[in-house]
Amino acid sequence: MIEISLKGRGGQGVVTAGEIMAKAAIVEGKYAQSIPFFGGERRGAPVSCEVRISDQPISLHRRVYNPDVVTVFDATLMDLLNPLTGIKEGGILLINTDNPRRYWNRTYYVDATGIARSLGLNIAGWAVVNTAMVGALSSVTKLVDIGTAEDVVKEEFPGKLGELNVEAMYLGFKEVRALD
Amino acid sequence: MQVTKGVVKALVGNHAVAYAVKQAKPQVLAVYPITPQTTMLEKLSEYVDRGELKARMIRVESEHSALASIYGAAVAGARVFTATASQGLLYMTEMLYWAGGQRVPIVAAVATRALASPWSILDDHQDFMSKRDAIWIQMMAENVQEAYDLTIQAFRISEHENVVLPVMMGFDGFILTHTMERVEVLHDSVVDSFIPPRKFNLVDFTDPVGVGPVAPPEDYIRIRFEAKKAMERSKRVIKEIFREYEDISGRPQHGLVECFMCRDADYVVVSMGAWSGDARVAVKRLRERGAKVGLLKVRVFRPFPFEEVRDYLRDCKGVLVMDRAYSFGSGGILVNEVKVSLYGHDVPVHSLVGGLGGMDVRPLHIQTALENLMEGKLEEERWLL
Amino acid sequence: MINLPPGVPLARPSLGSSGQTGTWRVLRPVIHYNKCTKCRLCFFYCVENTIDLELNMFPKIDYQYCKGCGVCAQVCPTAAIEMMREVK
């Protein structure tokens, strides 16, 4: 069983990203959970979502304490939340930034905000980075196939918006890099 | 490999219940939004709006009115549904007793949530458990799949001619309502034949009667006595309907309780709701180390399965009961029921109270409590603070 | 159709199920039709619905059920209803 922690800000699409991952895994015949966390959430406030993916039925309902993968949608959260708390030895950090730093020995980065902006993926002025991050996650972890994720995104966002999001996802998939 | 007789979907708990409701085809709905139930109402409104669910959605100004209006619709012969949580359930309480006492077939989903004060939107079972005397059948789900399954079954149970009681389906707020999981949903045609249209009516419009009448003492107590008997009769009906559902779904439905590795167990943990899954993990870990432990999950809380609980637990060396609700001045609510079941049997029963106001409980907590129980080092009541 | 299980509380209303309330009366409302303007206030106020009213007709009191509460006499704007002592 793999546990992923997704951290971002209200409006970046963190919960939707978790649901796309879980849904894609379930479509592929696996078992998965996407668990959003709610406080007084609103635009800009830190938001988190956790995902479990497994070949076996999942009976856990507790929160995720030792994630295999930590995904950070906004680099400013690194100082604010300490998202690496509890990360497994050998775990992966994936971060949305254009100015990567070595936060962790296995750090991957992608400029998801740049991708979203280039495609005009804005909602009320906020770059919606979730699909680019899902693409990068798929590339780094191989947990779900990018094609399956594409189907899920198209189902979730019909029409033009879906096409843009799929494009963002493939760009995230291609542009994600490991930090040596 | 399990037989898959339905369609696999990825659904959050609220949407899974809404999907089950859509398939059960109620004709009248009245739901007032409250966290963490709101997304269920949104989904149901969507179904009604798109014509996928041919039902009347009554826009009400409160939970009290929500239940009052579907109470009327159900008396008039409609299949009905409502859903609420927490303060909403408290506000609905007066009508809950009306519906139970009047024996109106109603299905209500409760997305369990803590009660104020202090204010909290997160999960525990205090709202659900406080309604245990309202003459409602109460069932509780462990995961999204079970929330879907129990919702479908609730309509059958509620409308069964030997029961005719309202049914409340509880499932943990956020932990299930907002968590997306793999769910196998049945085909519409299968649900159609499982829940045929309602066959009877409380009132015959060609021969008018008064509903909710005043009753002199000798009638009142007799009507309450009949309600008690209906609750007792419903146990058999619920088990039959669970079995029938097992056949159409291919998923084991156990019964009023589910026994997981508990048959030969010396120490058993008893739980209800989503954290039963975490208790399952704790039990598995301890079994791997050779400890004879098991889990008894209560699926139906009212009518309480005294016989089953007694049969599974009477020969145990120790029992640990997990409570996500508390009767202040008394104790955990589930633990008290378990103690009543074991009256006359010499089994030590310990209480583990936790998860109030959304406090996360991990398999580790349960495992530690079980280990302490086996070592004889567990206090009678432990709070996970 | 199924038969309902026992214990569903339903009441079958019948004529005078709690007795004919006319026997409770101590004072009897009598309408002086020469003063009555057919305003229908007595009809609307009667708590036991014992005043019969047909369109454009004078109100008529059903003494089998009128319990003599006197509300009609109180609300009558022309004081056309008099509460008179019952003579047995």
Side-chain angles (χ1 to χ4, degrees), chain A residues 19 22-23 26 30-36 38-39 59-63 65, chain B residues 10 12 142 174-176 178-182 274 277-278 281 360-363:
Chain A
E19 293 192 350
K23 209 166 187 172
I26 290 167
K30 296 186 187 113
Y31 293 82
Q33 287 175 334
S34 163
I35 313 153
F38 294 88
S59 52
L60 279 178
H61 279 115
R62 65 150 165 75
R63 293 192 62 164
Y65 292 90
Chain B
V12 299
E142 175 188 332
F174 290 112
I175 298 178
L176 298 183
H178 285 64
T179 293
M180 179 181 275
E181 291 186 349
R182 179 186 190 276
D278 302 274
V281 173
D360 198 33
V361 175
R362 306 163 62 171

Side-chain angles (χ1 to χ4, degrees), chain B residues 101-103 161 199-200 202 207 209-210 213 223 226, chain C residues 1-13:
Chain B
Q102 187 60 42
R103 310 278 300 279
E161 59 185 34
K199 284 201 299 271
F200 66 95
L202 294 190
D207 180 18
V209 290
I223 286 163
E226 290 296 341
Chain C
M1 282 294 198
I2 63 160
N3 290 322
L4 286 176
V8 177
L10 298 172
R12 201 165 291 280

Side-chain angles (χ1 to χ4, degrees), chain B residues 2 12 127 131 136 145-146 153 161 168 176 182 195 211 265 279 283 307 347 349 366 378:
Chain B
Q2 236 173 36
V12 299
D127 50 357
K131 296 298 158 276
W136 281 60
Q145 179 72 64
E146 200 167 38
Q153 294 163 29
E161 59 185 34
M168 194 182 287
L176 298 183
R182 179 186 190 276
I195 329 176
V211 176
V283 163
E307 298 81 4
V347 182
V349 178
I366 305 163
L378 185 66

Side-chain angles (χ1 to χ4, degrees), chain B residues 119-134:
Chain B
W119 192 246
S120 167
I121 58 163
L122 299 178
D123 174 50
D124 67 35
H125 298 164
Q126 293 183 80
D127 50 357
F128 183 84
M129 298 297 252
S130 75
K131 296 298 158 276
R132 62 192 182 277
D133 303 330

Side-chain angles (χ1 to χ4, degrees), chain B residues 186-208:
Chain B
L186 299 172
H187 292 289
D188 289 352
S189 59
V190 176
V191 179
D192 281 347
S193 51
F194 185 71
I195 329 176
R198 215 178 105 178
K199 284 201 299 271
F200 66 95
N201 207 344
L202 294 190
V203 294
D204 175 356
F205 288 102
T206 62
D207 180 18

Side-chain angles (χ1 to χ4, degrees), chain A residues 107-120:
Chain A
T107 300
Y108 292 81
Y109 68 97
V110 64
D111 181 15
T113 306
I115 292 172
R117 286 230 175 104
S118 71
L119 294 169

Side-chain angles (χ1 to χ4, degrees), chain B residues 35-322:
Chain B
T35 299
Q37 159 265 60
T38 307
T39 55
M40 187 200 304
L41 166 60
E42 288 168 359
K43 191 46 94 178
L44 285 168
S45 301
E46 234 177 88
Y47 287 146
V48 173
D49 195 43
R50 289 200 301 245
E52 290 175 39
L53 172 58
K54 289 184 180 48
R56 178 80 183 275
M57 172 74 83
I58 304 176
R59 291 193 197 90
V60 283
E61 81 284 17
S62 75
E63 289 83 0
H64 187 279
S65 309
L67 188 51
S69 52
I70 60 164
Y71 168 104
V75 165
R79 179 172 290 160
V80 300
F81 176 80
T82 190
T84 187
S86 188
Q87 310 298 123
L89 187 63
L90 296 192
Y91 195 24
M92 194 183 265
T93 301
E94 192 212 353
M95 289 313 301
L96 285 175
Y97 280 78
W98 272 100
Q102 187 60 42
R103 310 278 300 279
V104 187
I106 290 172
V107 175
V110 174
T112 65
R113 170 186 144 183
L115 300 173
S117 176
W119 192 246
S120 167
I121 58 163
L122 299 178
D123 174 50
D124 67 35
H125 298 164
Q126 293 183 80
D127 50 357
F128 183 84
M129 298 297 252
S130 75
K131 296 298 158 276
R132 62 192 182 277
D133 303 330
I135 324 184
W136 281 60
I137 289 173
Q138 289 183 296
M139 317 194 284
M140 199 176 253
E142 175 188 332
N143 48 43
V144 175
Q145 179 72 64
E146 200 167 38
Y148 168 84
D149 292 340
L150 288 178
T151 304
I152 301 241
Q153 294 163 29
F155 285 96
R156 263 294 292 283
I157 294 165
S158 182
E159 293 173 12
H160 193 281
E161 59 185 34
N162 285 331
V163 179
V164 191
L165 281 167
V167 179
M168 194 182 287
M169 197 286 295
F171 65 131
D172 289 72
F174 290 112
I175 298 178
L176 298 183
T177 57
H178 285 64
T179 293
M180 179 181 275
E181 291 186 349
R182 179 186 190 276
V183 186
E184 285 174 32
V185 300
L186 299 172
H187 292 289
D188 289 352
S189 59
V190 176
V191 179
D192 281 347
S193 51
F194 185 71
I195 329 176
R198 215 178 105 178
K199 284 201 299 271
F200 66 95
N201 207 344
L202 294 190
V203 294
D204 175 356
F205 288 102
T206 62
D207 180 18
V209 290
V211 176
V214 62
E218 62 274 20
D219 285 346
Y220 185 95
I221 194 165
R222 194 175 48 79
I223 286 163
R224 281 301 204 247
F225 185 65
E226 290 296 341
K228 161 202 141 72
K229 289 202 286 189
M231 267 287 174
E232 285 164 3
R233 272 200 309 272
S234 73
K235 284 186 187 177
R236 231 185 85 190
V237 174
I238 295 168
K239 283 189 270 190
E240 279 166 18
I241 289 171
F242 282 175
R243 264 196 297 276
E244 201 183 312
Y245 191 84
E246 221 166 73
D247 292 339
I248 61 161
S249 67
R251 284 187 292 280
Q253 296 297 306
H254 311 287
L256 306 180
V257 296
E258 178 191 343
C259 157
F260 175 73
M261 296 184 162
C262 75
R263 264 172 222 289
D264 65 332
D266 290 333
Y267 298 90
V268 173
V269 53
V270 183
S271 74
M272 223 168 96
W275 64 357
S276 306
D278 302 274
R280 219 177 273 271
V281 173
V283 163
K284 263 193 251 174
R285 284 184 196 158
L286 287 169
R287 278 274 173 179
E288 277 161 21
R289 292 196 217 149
K292 283 172 85 176
V293 295
L295 164 74
L296 189 69
K297 183 182 87 181
V298 177
R299 300 179 83 219
V300 178
F301 181 67
R302 283 289 180 273
F304 193 79
F306 292 109
E307 298 81 4
E308 285 84 350
V309 170
R310 182 161 54 240
D311 287 348
Y312 282 119
L313 301 183
R314 68 207 296 174
D315 299 322
C316 284
K317 290 182 187 158
V319 172
L320 175 70
V321 185
M322 290 162 59

